[in-house]
Amino acid sequence: MWKFMLRRLSYAIVAIFVISLVSFAVIQLPPGDYVTDMINRMRLAGGKLDPEFEQRMREVYGFDQPMIVQYAKWMGNIITRGEFGYSFVYKRDASEMIMERLPTTAVMVLGAVMLTWSIALPLGVYAAVHKYSILDYGAGFIGFFGLAVPSFILAIIVLYFTYRAFGRATIGLFSPEYVDAPWSWNKLLDLLKHMWVPALLAAVTGIGALTQTMRANLLDELNKPYVNTARAKGLSESRLLWKYPVRHALNPFVSTIGWLLPALVAGDVIISIVLNLPTAGSMLYAALLQQDQYVAAGFILLLSTLTVIGTLISDLLLAWLDPRIRLS
Amino acid sequence: MKTVSRRKFLKAAAFAAGTVGLAACATTAPAPTAAPPAPPTEAPKPAEPAAPAEPTKAPEPAAPPSKFNESPMLAEMVKAGKLPPVDQRLPENPQVVTPLVSEGKYGGTLRQGIVGTSVTWGGGLYTVQWENLVQWKPDFSDTEPSLAEKIEISPDGREYTFTLRKGIKWSDGQPFTADDIMFYINDVMFNKELNPGGPGADWLPNSQREGFKAEKVDDQTFKLIFPNPYGTLLYNLATWSGRQFAQYPKHYLQQFHKAYNEKADELAKQEGLENWVQLFFRKGPDTWGNPDRFMDVPEYPSLGPWVVVQPIGSGTTAKFTRNPYYWKVDDKGNQLPYMDEVVVTAYQDPETRALAMLNGDLDFIKDPGEGNRELYFDAMNEGKPISIISRTPDGGNTISIHFNQGSKNPVLREVFQNKDFRIGMSHAINREEIIEVVFKGQGKPAQVAPLESSPLYHEKLANQYLEYDVAKANEHLDKVLPNKDANGMRLGPDGKPFSIIWTCLDQNYTGGDVRSWLQAAELMVGYFKAVGVEVKLDVISDQVLGERRRTNDVDMFIFHGGEGGAGMSAIFDPRWHIPGEYWGFFSHGWSPFLVPSDLTDEEKANFVEPPPRMAEYRKMFEEATQKTTREEQITAMKKVLDASAEEFWVIGVSRPGMGYQPTSKRLVGLPDGAIDGWLPGTHKIMRPEQWFIAEG
């Protein structure tokens, strides 16, 4: 087991290194850089600038050096100083900004995931046991609807209805008076008032896939000979359902826990943009648009690292959950 | 209550979805409305300079009643001994701003909404920070003194003597003097290490660099001496180009400058940088006078009405508080600004910001977007606390169409340079239909030219070749491209099918309504096809455009036709009228032969030498800028415009209608019909320091 763990860890480190190289290269691929973006913004506004300024700025920011030198500097700073790189847009280090946005994002995503799972799993089990019942069809309909309609359209619809119903659209995570206020009960209540929108949206869009996967897996399990044997031996229906089939049906979910980690950090980017939520994901999006290269690269590296770690956790969990996997 | 119809809602949703999909963090510029241009607002009379006051003496124990009033917020700080009294904070002769709407009252917070993460470009620049030596009068007709109280111009137009108001202070209480100006010019612009390529500044054109010097006369007075007459200097200094004179607080920046601090290099190393040059640009403005520091660094001294106390960082709001040393007063002697605070909130999407405005979360936004006009008017009519004022666009045209006459493709080059081709293409456009479909019926057909209200108005330039006439279009095009294939599409002079790639930007950060350009371009592709010319739209990002620019790979371009419309602006932004300007794609392929460029020799090989008359045009324009009296400037510029009308450089579509500006009902002080555009400083010309909160 220890050997297995060590081997997996060394693979992970190599993977992360390769990912860092690739992500840095990919960020550099599109034409132009932060200076281009900054200067274009000015020029579009009508400002006149000499081309020589542009060149000068590049030297100041170090964009004129070859990519490998820039990469080495960036990596060196991460390893020696824990700095992910200077954000040109925010004039600070990228790691600070990511950390600032992490808590809200994580809380939001966790809330959404818990809501989704607590609805989808029981619903999936029920739908499998009561195949072709009204509730099965209903769950299927709502699930597929949520799956089919893009989340941002739903977000716009929700905004519109809250605007029409309450006279104000539920934008952001706080009312204006609480944005910079210190934490208090009222602020928490205000947060909950706003939180339900993204949580609900995430739930509506996520429930469909989860419910159907659960239902299909469980149906497979329920027709297996061991279930019949158990039934023939007179086990109660509920025991029969929960003891093994549900546990086995959970495997696919456990193996996707790994993807939950990066999602916790990033949040749903499109919903964040529409609802104006200060998630880390929307920051990454802005960084990519503005060619704020170190922030973007640092972010992608972080997300990839989390994915690798998450996969590792998933594998260990699976091994714990299902002895059959351990043996193979 | 008026409900939104299902169709309208779906349209709005699709619109918003489209925005998200496009990933446009673009804001759209105000575009046309119904009303005919309103008469420009009455310019308030320039304030009488106050009688020269005695120099302030140290206050006696029983101080005399002060000449000026201040905000209660500051009065309390004075009482607590945290601030000197108001008379010591203001200059002897503060700038007097006559309220544009009504006398204001102190207090309150301006809640401004931006799209994207840049407080500066989202609109903060024009609210809290930007100050110049001279500024536009509120009707954009001319400049008036601002930081400088007196400007003397030598008869030959080569020597300008500026006298700064005595006793102006930076927001940290340190005096603003000629030393700050000298620091900017001698230690930054002309510093070999900071600017190895020589001085670069928008207000110092290439033709004036060799032999320019600045001299300090005394603490209040300095001279700018130019090698050639420079008649348009004050216009330039009133625009964005003049920002740098108020951006360099010497007492703060000298610690990062090697000439004043020997340890500057060590300081840089501590910050993880390589040398003092990098440090200086990180702590002070970038080479181009980037105003971001005023939004991000609380300790950076400013001359603006509000100073940052909480930068936006990775959050969503930035807070600004009043500058206790702000050097302007209203006509009753109340120190400005009226409002205590400005809070800027960032939104990630223009539609979300529009909803926040309807919620009543915001008081002011820049660029509300043409698509949302009905939304705001409906909300106002429903009784939401929203007011809407109109704004007069300074732009001469909604859209300009460029054919690159220096194209690297010899066939296209030959065709584009033929004026008949451009005349034919202009007659092929159904402008009335574009106005109806794209601009909601606002505006009227026109070419790109100064506005009727401008002293530079040029009848022929504005109105030639406008009528939609397919027969006439074909007649002109037949002279250039007589041969057609079986489908009636024209063949080039080389006998091959003739086709043009039409480049359009996919998004814009400011100052253009790309969506409307694209809609109009789609229609025009059809009009051109109807006269046998094949045009294919190619929508690209501005980064890609930047690359193609360098290799001369843009044959046909669509852009706004703004700037250079109102007042005298054509003389300091001649981009549509002379070859070689940055956004003048009609001459892009000639540009390195007309103006300095940073192209490599390899890149330059893609460009072509222009006909000799192009250099003459540039000379003509330069002469116009050297004239020192307004009449001479107008006469000389008219010559340039005559040539522009004769050459017919760019095709225009329509004069924009009136723009609109929604604000919350509680925000007062924004005059109706103020000129709107980059050169007047978008909303700076509405004097945010005299806006105020009416209640609450």
Side-chain angles (χ1 to χ4, degrees):
Chain A
M1 190 70 189
W2 284 114
K3 237 171 145 171
F4 163 79
M5 292 267 296
L6 268 177
R7 204 172 58 224
R8 291 298 314 261
L9 263 176
S10 54
Y11 285 164
I13 287 166
V14 173
I16 288 168
F17 171 71
V18 173
I19 288 168
S20 75
L21 259 176
V22 172
S23 59
F24 198 78
V26 167
I27 300 267
Q28 301 254 346
L29 272 184
D33 49 36
Y34 170 69
V35 172
T36 327
D37 184 78
M38 177 172 73
I39 284 186
N40 274 343
R41 221 174 314 164
M42 263 197 53
R43 278 184 175 145
L44 285 169
K48 285 191 209 151
L49 278 182
D50 281 350
E52 68 207 34
F53 272 164
E54 220 173 313
Q55 214 30 55
R56 189 76 203 100
M57 288 311 301
R58 278 214 171 85
E59 285 160 29
V60 168
Y61 283 123
F63 292 150
D64 54 338
Q65 295 160 329
M67 197 194 101
I68 201 75
V69 174
Q70 290 187 49
Y71 171 82
K73 266 194 190 163
W74 175 63
M75 230 27 217
N77 272 345
I78 292 179
I79 293 163
T80 57
R81 314 174 83 160
E83 285 179 2
F84 273 85
Y86 180 74
S87 159
F88 308 117
V89 176
Y90 297 100
K91 321 267 184 306
R92 305 164 45 209
D93 190 68
S95 56
E96 285 175 43
M97 293 159 30
I98 295 171
M99 285 325 287
E100 269 171 27
R101 288 206 170 188
L102 216 55
T104 22
T105 314
V107 165
M108 229 172 60
V109 177
L110 264 179
V113 166
M114 273 156 56
L115 191 67
T116 312
W117 283 42
S118 59
I119 296 173
L121 296 183
L123 205 59
V125 174
Y126 183 93
V129 177
H130 303 265
K131 217 167 33 166
Y132 308 135
S133 65
I134 292 283
L135 200 66
D136 180 15
Y137 280 124
F141 176 78
I142 292 178
F144 284 124
F145 176 82
L147 202 62
V149 178
S151 55
F152 66 88
I153 293 269
L154 279 178
I156 291 166
I157 293 172
V158 170
L159 282 183
Y160 174 76
F161 280 114
T162 51
Y163 174 64
R164 281 284 153 218
F166 312 126
R168 50 171 301 129
T170 319
I171 302 169
L173 281 181
F174 299 103
S175 308
E177 59 268 34
Y178 288 113
V179 172
D180 292 319
W183 279 102
S184 62
W185 275 115
N186 288 345
K187 181 162 177 172
L188 191 67
L189 285 175
D190 189 62
L191 173 65
L192 291 175
K193 260 188 227 162
H194 288 80
M195 266 271 302
W196 68 269
V197 180
L200 180 83
L201 286 172
V204 169
T205 47
I207 281 173
L210 271 175
T211 311
Q212 295 307 315
T213 317
M214 187 72 204
R215 178 179 179 269
N217 285 343
L218 198 53
L219 281 175
D220 280 353
E221 286 295 324
L222 287 176
N223 292 331
K224 287 205 170 141
Y226 75 85
V227 179
N228 287 334
T229 313
R231 194 174 279 136
K233 290 198 168 183
L235 236 64
S236 75
E237 274 302 312
S238 64
R239 197 100 198 248
L240 185 114
L241 182 65
W242 296 104
K243 181 78 185 171
Y244 289 112
V246 170
R247 269 176 65 182
H248 288 170
L250 278 175
N251 282 0
F253 296 105
V254 175
S255 52
T256 56
I257 283 179
W259 304 338
L260 203 64
L261 268 183
L264 274 184
V265 175
D268 185 325
V269 176
I270 294 182
I271 290 184
S272 303
I273 290 170
V274 176
L275 297 176
N276 207 44
L277 308 172
T279 57
S282 54
M283 202 163 66
L284 169 64
Y285 167 79
L288 286 170
L289 268 189
Q290 296 167 327
Q291 307 231 10
D292 201 354
Q293 61 179 41
Y294 295 117
V295 180
F299 222 117
I300 289 174
L301 180 65
L302 183 74
L303 291 182
S304 319
T305 310
L306 285 172
T307 312
V308 172
I309 293 172
T311 314
L312 198 63
I313 294 173
S314 283
D315 289 355
L316 298 176
L317 271 178
L318 269 180
W320 168 76
L321 192 79
D322 192 340
R324 292 174 301 178
I325 290 176
R326 237 172 306 173
L327 293 174
S328 55
Chain B
M1 182 175 111
K2 183 172 180 299
T3 51
V4 173
S5 70
R6 185 179 151 277
R7 210 175 98 212
K8 210 192 255 177
F9 170 61
L10 284 177
K11 206 171 78 179
F15 190 80
T19 317
V20 175
L22 266 177
C25 61
T27 50
T28 49
T33 48
T41 38
E42 276 284 309
K45 283 201 291 290
E48 300 293 318
E54 305 99 332
T56 22
K57 298 185 185 70
E60 316 291 297
S66 79
K67 289 194 313 198
F68 303 110
N69 299 323
E70 61 189 328
S71 150
M73 172 180 148
L74 296 181
E76 260 172 49
M77 291 168 77
V78 173
K79 239 192 227 136
K82 290 181 191 156
L83 263 187
V86 63
D87 291 3
Q88 292 177 32
R89 299 197 313 262
L90 279 164
E92 287 171 23
N93 170 24
Q95 176 158 25
V96 179
V97 177
T98 311
L100 299 176
V101 176
S102 62
E103 192 187 334
K105 51 184 247 234
Y106 281 125
T109 300
L110 174 74
R111 300 163 308 162
Q112 183 172 352
I114 61 168
V115 176
T117 49
S118 170
V119 176
T120 311
W121 300 110
L125 166 66
Y126 321 93
T127 311
V128 303
Q129 193 271 319
W130 180 5
E131 298 292 346
N132 287 348
L133 292 170
V134 293
Q135 65 180 16
W136 291 112
K137 289 179 174 170
D139 64 353
F140 195 54
S141 61
D142 206 348
T143 59
E144 61 186 18
S146 187
L147 282 164
E149 62 184 352
K150 198 165 84 217
I151 298 118
E152 285 164 12
I153 308 172
S154 66
D156 65 357
R158 288 180 50 245
E159 200 172 294
Y160 284 70
T161 310
F162 292 85
T163 308
L164 301 172
R165 290 173 197 278
K166 191 168 182 182
I168 293 186
K169 296 185 175 64
W170 294 95
S171 56
D172 60 356
Q174 296 293 322
F176 167 69
T177 64
D179 287 334
D180 294 305
I181 308 279
M182 290 301 124
F183 177 77
Y184 158 52
I185 293 175
N186 297 335
D187 294 323
V188 180
M189 252 174 88
F190 282 87
N191 180 293
K192 280 276 178 288
E193 277 180 273
L194 289 173
N195 287 305
D202 326 346
W203 55 270
L204 188 63
N206 292 320
S207 57
Q208 299 279 18
R209 273 179 205 183
E210 213 48 56
F212 163 83
K213 44 180 208 298
E215 282 173 10
K216 175 180 169 180
V217 179
D218 58 38
D219 276 358
Q220 255 55 62
T221 322
F222 65 94
K223 280 184 175 168
L224 301 181
I225 301 156
F226 297 95
N228 306 308
Y230 189 174
T232 50
L233 173 70
L234 293 187
Y235 297 139
N236 283 334
L237 291 188
T239 66
W240 154 256
S241 307
R243 70 197 174 281
Q244 287 156 309
F245 287 90
Q247 282 189 334
Y248 289 87
K250 179 180 178 179
H251 65 278
Y252 172 78
L253 287 174
Q254 60 188 15
Q255 59 182 319
F256 312 115
H257 197 298
K258 192 133 189 203
Y260 297 88
N261 179 4
E262 286 171 7
K263 296 202 170 89
D265 274 329
E266 281 166 49
L267 206 57
K269 295 270 189 308
Q270 283 164 18
E271 297 254 352
L273 300 168
E274 285 163 34
N275 53 40
W276 76 269
V277 172
Q278 288 189 357
L279 178 76
F280 190 84
F281 285 135
R282 184 166 291 190
K283 297 292 183 184
D286 291 331
T287 34
W288 51 275
N290 178 357
D292 282 347
R293 301 294 173 275
F294 295 101
M295 314 292 159
D296 294 328
V297 187
E299 61 269 24
Y300 198 100
S302 160
L303 290 168
W306 291 278
V307 291
V308 66
V309 281
Q310 177 197 307
I312 195 159
S314 56
T316 52
T317 55
K319 274 205 176 94
F320 296 81
T321 186
R322 61 179 329 124
N323 170 0
Y325 294 91
Y326 196 55
W327 38 280
K328 294 182 189 175
V329 295
D330 70 5
D331 50 358
K332 303 271 194 305
N334 298 307
Q335 188 193 16
L336 295 171
Y338 288 133
M339 295 181 284
D340 286 337
E341 277 190 322
V342 177
V343 173
V344 176
T345 305
Y347 294 85
Q348 298 164 41
D349 176 72
E351 306 314 315
T352 315
R353 185 182 66 163
L355 272 174
M357 191 81 202
L358 297 182
N359 275 350
D361 298 344
L362 298 172
D363 296 310
F364 179 84
I365 56 176
K366 178 180 173 282
D367 300 329
E370 193 42 43
N372 290 337
R373 186 189 286 260
E374 292 163 43
L375 191 71
Y376 287 113
F377 275 94
D378 285 350
M380 186 173 74
N381 297 336
E382 277 174 28
K384 294 257 174 209
I386 284 182
S387 329
I388 298 177
I389 55 165
S390 60
R391 297 215 56 186
T392 312
D394 78 333
N397 212 293
T398 49
I399 284 175
S400 59
I401 302 156
H402 304 238
F403 297 102
N404 182 356
Q405 296 190 30
S407 167
K408 63 181 182 191
N409 174 334
V411 174
L412 291 179
R413 195 159 66 220
E414 181 193 336
V415 172
F416 291 167
Q417 287 187 12
N418 191 325
K419 189 175 162 187
D420 273 311
F421 173 77
R422 302 195 296 277
I423 296 172
M425 293 296 264
S426 181
H427 281 305
I429 299 170
N430 185 347
R431 290 179 173 79
E432 297 286 356
E433 186 169 62
I434 294 178
I435 291 170
E436 203 47 51
V437 173
V438 180
F439 298 112
K440 304 195 171 92
Q442 314 288 340
K444 66 181 193 32
Q447 299 290 6
V448 183
L451 299 166
E452 281 85 344
S453 57
S454 156
L456 294 170
Y457 178 63
H458 191 290
E459 215 279 336
K460 180 180 167 197
L461 183 66
N463 298 322
Q464 58 185 353
Y465 317 123
L466 280 179
E467 65 273 26
Y468 170 53
D469 186 336
V470 174
K472 218 180 222 176
N474 278 321
E475 186 188 319
H476 282 283
L477 290 169
D478 286 342
K479 294 181 194 167
V480 194
L481 301 163
N483 305 322
K484 296 184 183 173
D485 66 8
N487 304 322
M489 296 309 282
R490 296 178 187 274
L491 300 171
D494 54 353
K496 295 202 179 88
F498 184 78
S499 160
I500 315 170
I501 304 284
W502 194 359
T503 304
C504 179
L505 286 171
D506 65 346
Q507 56 161 306
N508 222 336
Y509 296 103
T510 45
D513 184 356
V514 172
R515 222 174 272 115
S516 69
W517 305 348
L518 276 171
Q519 290 167 345
E522 298 274 359
L523 287 170
M524 286 189 258
V525 167
Y527 303 148
F528 296 148
K529 196 175 169 190
V531 292
V533 178
E534 187 182 50
V535 175
K536 294 191 184 120
L537 267 186
D538 180 22
V539 182
I540 57 170
S541 74
D542 52 357
Q543 282 94 352
V544 179
L545 180 71
E547 302 282 306
R548 292 195 187 169
R549 210 181 240 292
R550 303 186 71 87
T551 52
N552 192 16
D553 267 319
V554 181
D555 291 327
M556 182 178 175
F557 191 63
I558 185 169
F559 200 53
H560 67 71
E563 320 302 353
M568 291 293 286
S569 54
I571 201 169
F572 46 90
D573 193 343
R575 60 173 80 178
W576 320 118
H577 308 301
I578 54 165
E581 293 293 291
Y582 189 82
W583 284 109
F585 269 93
F586 61 87
S587 62
H588 182 66
W590 297 332
S591 56
F593 296 91
L594 297 169
V595 289
S597 82
D598 64 340
L599 299 172
T600 61
D601 287 344
E602 196 185 335
E603 286 167 334
K604 213 169 158 172
N606 294 304
F607 290 77
V608 293
E609 189 121 18
R613 64 179 194 282
M614 300 306 147
E616 280 163 42
Y617 290 147
R618 288 207 63 93
K619 225 188 165 76
M620 255 162 84
F621 169 71
E622 219 154 84
E623 277 162 16
T625 63
Q626 294 178 353
K627 300 282 183 274
T628 47
T629 70
R630 208 179 165 102
E631 290 67 43
E632 284 174 330
Q633 286 169 7
I634 292 173
T635 315
M637 193 63 202
K638 280 268 167 98
K639 275 218 305 251
V640 174
L641 296 176
D642 283 339
S644 172
E646 194 44 49
E647 289 281 356
F648 190 38
W649 293 123
V650 284
I651 299 176
V653 172
S654 61
R655 287 265 188 245
M658 288 296 272
Y660 77 104
Q661 168 70 55
T663 66
S664 71
K665 248 203 169 65
R666 47 177 233 144
L667 180 64
V668 185
L670 287 74
D672 195 45
I675 294 270
D676 186 16
W678 166 254
L679 296 166
T682 72
H683 51 271
K684 182 181 189 297
I685 198 161
M686 297 197 284
R687 309 269 189 274
E689 64 269 15
Q690 55 87 54
W691 299 354
F692 61 97
I693 302 295
E695 82 314 301

